[in-house]
Amino acid sequence: YLPDFVIKSRFHGAGPVTLHNVLSHHSGLPSDLLSLMCAPSLPSSAQTVALLKEEYLAFPPDYIFSYSNVGYLLLGEVIAQVSGMSYQQYVKSKLLEPLAMNRTGFEPAAGATVARYQGAKGPQLNAPPAAGGLYSDVLDLSRFMLMVLAGGSLSGQRILSSSALQEMLLPQTTPLDLDIKIGLGWFLGGQDLNYAGRIASHGGAIKQYYSQLTMLPEHKLGVVVLTAGAGATAAEEISTAALRLALEEKTGLKPPVPEKSKAIAAIPEQMQKYRGHYATSAGLLEIKPGRGGLYTSLGGVPIRLVPLADGSFAPKYNLWGLFAISVPQLANLKFSFQDLAGHQALILETKGDKFIYGEKITPTPLPEVWQRRLGSYQSLNRDGSAFIRDVTLGEEAGFLTFSGFLEGVGKLKVALLPLTEKLAIIRGLGRNAGDAVSFQDDDVMRYSGYLFKKSAVRLNRGCP
């Protein structure tokens, strides 16, 4: 379908990237190309494919769930190639017009209110059409949801065959996914709604805009929540609360009372085996045993992990390093440790589901060629697409580290594993892990579509 598509691979004998594993986010493709995130204009398909020729698969296909906007960008190009029309034209003619979704498209609808914020020149939504670039509203998305709940048709218009819809809602998982259930384009669990039967949902965020669409197909119930600005991350919580109320009203079914595991005394000998560094979705994490449990830091906040009777740990805010205090953001989280397929995994349990949060890693000797590269780097991208700045290669606790400041995310530091003189990968499992950091020569570094040159002076200034 895309004869020019090429991506490098370090996984000899791995299977191919297919439409099926791209749809279920098991393709092994990188999560994002950050150099496109703040670009002043959307890249052409040729530009995107050209960028990918210099990138690497993050994981072998069909190995682990790892959300990939890059994959869906490519799916949009496949639709254009097969249909003979642009992705935008195809979506409009095959989906939006038949469903009378008249206020949905790839530009804001006439008369639509697009939120603006102090200091912003506009919405700055630079997502490719097939990977987050669609504008809509609650009523239009409700019509889309009604079509799905009705088995693929609405108002006499057949949009999807019932067999295709059933296939989309079948879980496509691997052992490393744990409780993550993903179909073809749909999340099929989570949100603390597992007691309600089958779930189909998807949410997302572009800059200050957040969305959540969640359905309970067996009960013909669904909720759409769109938010913007401060407090927007509540979209998922609002949709969960609304569906719980609707489900109870319609069926009498109430959420179960969660079982609480009691705190127990920490056994020092057991705590010692968890000591070490972990490559996590929040960056490089160090866990140490201490009085009453384990100690770490999340986003600069000191955390005590209190052992529980079920073998897991409850995170508590460690005030002044002395007192463990529960806070709302931590109250429904639990951590545990498990050996999975050769990985010493750090497991996070939230809203009734478990997934891999990180894995334990050990230092490896740092080759001299990588030692010479330690220092600060400036972006060579001159198109205003500086999504990441203050980039540094460093060394910490024996690990090669890559750090930078990401727009809308904050400062992030990850551990790298050098594989060759010119290639290193971000350590860990899941989204953004496995991504490549490579060198063209000793002072020009490539990461996620960016080129950086070694320099002690910071020149790039972020998104314009």
Side-chain angles (χ1 to χ4, degrees), residues 16-326:
V17 175
T18 67
L19 296 179
H20 191 276
N21 57 35
V22 172
L23 280 164
S24 66
H25 296 287
H26 286 82
S27 65
L29 289 166
S31 295
D32 298 288
L33 280 175
L34 296 181
S35 64
L36 306 181
M37 297 296 287
C38 289
S41 60
L42 292 174
S44 67
S45 58
Q47 290 172 319
T48 302
V49 170
L51 274 177
L52 287 173
K53 289 179 179 179
E54 301 301 323
E55 299 296 329
Y56 286 79
L57 285 178
F59 298 103
D62 300 311
Y63 181 68
I64 189 173
F65 166 79
S66 182
Y67 196 95
S68 176
N69 284 314
V70 170
Y72 270 68
L73 185 155
L74 293 174
L75 290 176
E77 295 304 321
V78 169
I79 287 174
Q81 290 290 331
V82 173
S83 68
M85 60 181 80
S86 72
Y87 173 78
Q88 297 94 313
Q89 290 171 327
Y90 187 88
V91 170
K92 183 178 180 180
S93 64
K94 300 296 184 180
L95 179 69
L96 304 182
E97 289 179 346
L99 289 179
M101 295 174 65
N102 299 321
R103 289 171 59 81
T104 300
F106 298 94
E107 297 290 338
T113 300
V114 178
R116 291 175 178 266
Y117 296 90
Q118 186 176 4
K121 299 178 181 179
Q124 301 181 19
L125 302 185
N126 302 309
L134 189 72
Y135 289 84
S136 192
D137 65 12
V138 167
L139 294 179
D140 270 13
L141 287 175
S142 296
R143 291 189 62 78
F144 173 78
M145 183 172 60
L146 286 170
M147 178 271 294
V148 175
L149 292 175
S153 63
L154 186 66
S155 302
Q157 292 279 346
R158 171 61 63 178
I159 307 298
L160 290 169
S161 69
S162 58
S163 60
L165 189 57
Q166 289 174 9
E167 182 71 17
M168 291 168 69
L169 299 179
L170 287 177
Q172 315 286 328
T173 58
T174 70
L176 288 176
D177 295 344
L178 297 182
D179 291 335
I180 293 176
K181 300 180 184 69
I182 184 79
L184 304 183
W186 291 98
F187 288 96
L188 305 177
Q191 286 190 240
D192 235 357
L193 290 167
N194 291 333
Y195 72 98
R198 287 196 305 150
I199 305 164
S201 70
H202 208 297
I206 298 290
K207 298 284 185 172
Q208 66 268 35
Y209 301 96
Y210 294 74
S211 62
Q212 184 67 40
L213 187 156
T214 306
M215 297 178 291
L216 304 176
E218 294 169 5
H219 302 287
K220 306 297 184 185
L221 291 172
V223 172
V224 177
V225 180
L226 305 181
T227 62
T233 51
E236 185 176 302
E237 283 76 11
I238 292 169
S239 66
T240 298
L243 276 173
R244 284 186 164 191
L245 291 171
L247 183 63
E248 183 177 348
E249 178 69 20
K250 185 173 184 178
T251 69
L253 189 60
K254 296 181 179 182
V257 178
E259 296 182 6
K260 291 189 176 181
S261 185
K262 294 183 179 180
I264 60 173
I267 301 175
E269 294 78 11
Q270 291 183 350
M271 299 301 103
Q272 283 293 335
K273 66 181 179 181
Y274 304 127
R275 175 193 291 271
H277 288 82
Y278 293 77
T280 77
S281 55
L284 184 62
L285 199 73
E286 184 178 10
I287 293 179
K288 299 179 180 179
R291 182 178 178 182
L294 301 171
Y295 291 80
T296 189
S297 176
L298 294 176
V301 177
I303 298 293
R304 175 184 170 193
L305 299 176
V306 178
L308 303 176
D310 64 1
S312 65
F313 293 79
K316 308 288 184 181
Y317 170 50
N318 200 44
L319 181 64
W320 301 315
L322 298 173
F323 309 105
I325 299 175
S326 294

